C-alpha cells in the first residue's frame, strides 16, 4: 500500500502560541478560502511554488534577455530561491516531530497542524495525529472548521484541541470576502463538541474586517451559544508581508498598521464580560 503523504511547506519548532506549551507546528499546503489578511500565502495553493527573495540574489546566472533566473531552488547558493512545499509521508513527518518530545513533556506542549486549511487532507491529518498519539504526543489543529468533516469521531479521537477561527461574523459578508460559511463552521463545532472534543475559539482582530463592535459582539454571542468557554484574541500583524513579495502576489493590507495589546483591550473586555476565558495571542 502506498504511504499516505501530503504537501508540507514548513515544520516550525519551538512555537509558543499554537495550542499550549512548546509546540512544533506543521503547515499543510492548500486552502479553499481567501482571507485578505492571510499571513501564510505560501499555503493558499495546494501545489508546490517557488519563492524569490530579490535581496538575496547575487545574479549568479544572469540572462541576456533580462528574464528571471533559471537556477533551480535546490542549486541556489544564497537561498534567494526556495521551493515551498514538498511531499512528506506520515512516518517521515513523525520522525521529525518526535525529536522534540522532551520539550513537549516538560512544557505540556505537543504538535499542532496548521495550513492553509489542514482539513482539506483529513486522511493524512487523522493518520498523522493518530501516529503522534501513539508516541504519547499531544495534538492540536488550527482550522476554520468550515469544510465538511469526513469522520468527526475519528478526528476528535486523534486531536486534543481544535483552535477554531471566528472571523467575519456576518454570513453574507464572510462568504463575499473570505469564502468561509460560518454556518458550516458552527455545525462542525457542534459535532466536535458532541463527540467530546475540546474547542478554543480564535478571534483575529483585523482593521476594517473584524474589529468593529458589532462583529466582535456577534462572535462573542455565537461562541457562548455554541458552548465554547475560551477565546484567543489575535491582534493583526504584518509578519506575512514579505511572503507576498517573494511570491509576487498583491497584498491589500500592506499599509495597515499592526495592532498592539492595548489596541485590542476593548475586545478583550467584551469577551471577559461575557464570561469567556480570554487570552491575547493564544497560549
Amino acid at each position: 500500500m502506498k504511504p499516505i503523504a501530503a504537501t508540507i511547506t514548513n515544520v516550525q519548532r519551538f512555537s509558543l502560541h499554537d495550542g499550549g506549551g512548546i509546540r512544533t507546528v506543521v503547515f499543510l499546503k492548500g486552502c479553499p478560502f481567501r482571507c485578505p489578511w492571510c499571513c501564510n500565502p505560501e499555503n493558499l495553493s495546494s501545489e508546490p511554488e517557488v519563492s524569490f527573495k530579490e535581496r538575496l540574489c547575487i545574479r549568479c546566472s544572469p540572462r541576456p534577455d533580462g528574464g528571471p533566473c533559471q537556477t533551480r531552488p535546490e542549486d541556489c547558493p544564497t537561498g534567494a530561491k526556495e521551493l515551498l512545499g514538498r511531499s512528506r509521508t506520515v512516518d517521515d513527518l513523525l520522525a521529525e516531530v518526535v525529536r522534540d518530545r522532551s520539550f513537549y513533556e516538560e512544557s505540556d506542549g505537543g504538535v499542532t497542524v496548521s495550513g492553509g486549511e489542514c482539513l482539506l487532507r483529513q486522511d493524512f491529518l487523522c493518520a498523522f495525529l493518530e501516529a503522534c498519539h501513539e508516541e504519547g504526543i499531544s495534538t492540536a489543529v488550527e482550522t476554520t472548521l468550515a469544510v465538511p468533516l469526513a469522520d468527526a469521531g475519528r478526528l476528535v479521537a486523534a486531536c486534543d484541541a481544535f483552535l477554531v477561527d471566528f472571523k467575519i461574523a456576518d454570513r453574507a459578508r464572510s462568504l463575499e470576502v473570505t469564502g468561509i460559511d460560518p454556518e458550516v463552521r458552527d455545525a462542525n463545532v457542534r459535532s466536535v463538541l458532541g463527540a467530546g472534543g475540546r474547542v478554543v475559539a480564535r478571534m483575529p482582530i483585523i482593521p476594517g474586517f473584524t474589529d468593529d463592535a458589532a462583529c466582535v459582539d456577534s462572535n462573542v454571542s455565537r461562541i457562548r451559544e455554541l458552548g465554547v468557554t475560551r477565546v484567543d484574541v489575535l491582534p493583526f500583524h504584518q509578519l506575512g508581508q514579505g511572503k507576498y513579495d517573494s511570491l509576487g502576489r498583491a497584498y491589500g493590507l500592506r499599509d495597515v498598521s499592526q495592532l498592539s495589546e492595548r489596541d485590542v483591550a476593548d475586545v478583550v473586555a467584551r469577551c471577559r464580560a461575557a464570561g469567556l476565558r480570554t487570552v491575547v495571542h493564544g497560549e
Side-chain angles (χ1 to χ4, degrees):
M1 181 182 296
K2 186 177 180 180
I4 300 176
T7 303
I8 308 297
T9 54
N10 188 25
V11 178
Q12 182 175 298
R13 303 171 68 196
F14 305 112
S15 293
L16 299 176
H17 302 293
D18 297 279
I22 296 173
R23 307 191 75 84
T24 297
V25 183
V26 175
F27 292 87
L28 268 65
K29 209 170 187 311
C31 183
F33 309 117
R34 292 296 181 268
C35 302
W37 57 86
C38 180
C39 62
N40 293 316
E42 73 278 15
N43 291 323
L44 294 176
S45 169
S46 59
E47 299 299 322
E49 300 171 272
V50 174
S51 71
F52 176 67
K53 298 181 178 65
E54 176 107 24
R55 70 182 185 280
L56 298 179
C57 183
I58 58 174
R59 307 294 189 272
C60 62
S61 58
R63 284 177 45 173
D65 62 2
C69 166
Q70 295 301 296
T71 301
R72 297 180 304 174
E74 59 268 32
D75 296 329
C76 181
T78 65
K81 272 190 171 182
E82 181 184 4
L83 179 65
L84 301 175
R86 66 187 182 95
S87 182
R88 305 284 300 269
T89 66
V90 168
D91 290 344
D92 168 44
L93 199 56
L94 181 67
E96 181 170 356
V97 302
V98 296
R99 298 173 190 168
D100 290 328
R101 186 201 306 273
S102 61
F103 296 104
Y104 310 148
E105 292 173 347
E106 292 181 12
S107 68
D108 197 22
V111 171
T112 298
V113 184
S114 188
E117 174 47 74
C118 60
L119 290 180
L120 285 184
R121 287 300 315 274
Q122 291 176 51
D123 57 341
F124 177 89
L125 178 64
C126 286
F128 176 64
L129 296 178
E130 288 165 352
C132 288
H133 267 190
E134 289 175 4
E135 292 289 337
I137 298 173
S138 176
T139 60
V141 296
E142 294 177 331
T143 175
T144 64
L145 210 61
V147 298
L149 297 183
D151 187 338
R154 182 187 178 192
L155 184 59
V156 168
C159 184
D160 299 310
F162 292 78
L163 312 181
V164 180
D165 294 332
F166 285 73
K167 300 178 180 179
I168 298 175
D170 180 78
R171 181 172 184 253
R173 179 159 167 76
S174 180
L175 287 167
E176 175 187 1
V177 174
T178 70
I180 295 171
D181 188 341
E183 291 186 0
V184 174
R185 176 204 62 207
D186 294 349
N188 286 335
V189 168
R190 294 186 185 97
S191 294
V192 167
L193 291 173
R198 174 175 174 254
V199 173
V200 174
R202 306 198 109 185
M203 288 174 53
I205 305 305
I206 315 298
F209 292 96
T210 68
D211 61 333
D212 62 279
C215 181
V216 171
D217 289 344
S218 292
N219 276 329
V220 168
S221 295
R222 183 55 53 86
I223 290 165
R224 292 189 68 231
E225 288 169 6
L226 290 168
V228 177
T229 59
R230 177 181 144 191
V231 59
D232 293 345
V233 174
L234 310 179
F236 172 70
H237 61 73
Q238 287 285 12
L239 297 179
Q241 180 175 313
K243 298 179 183 180
Y244 285 87
D245 296 336
S246 65
L247 287 167
R249 289 183 180 170
Y251 178 48
L253 277 69
R254 185 178 302 275
D255 297 325
V256 177
S257 297
Q258 295 192 150
L259 299 181
S260 67
E261 290 193 19
R262 179 178 298 180
D263 293 325
V264 298
D266 180 65
V267 175
V268 172
R270 289 172 181 271
C271 292
R272 288 177 175 163
L276 296 173
R277 181 185 169 220
T278 307
V279 180
V280 180
H281 300 299
E283 60 182 24

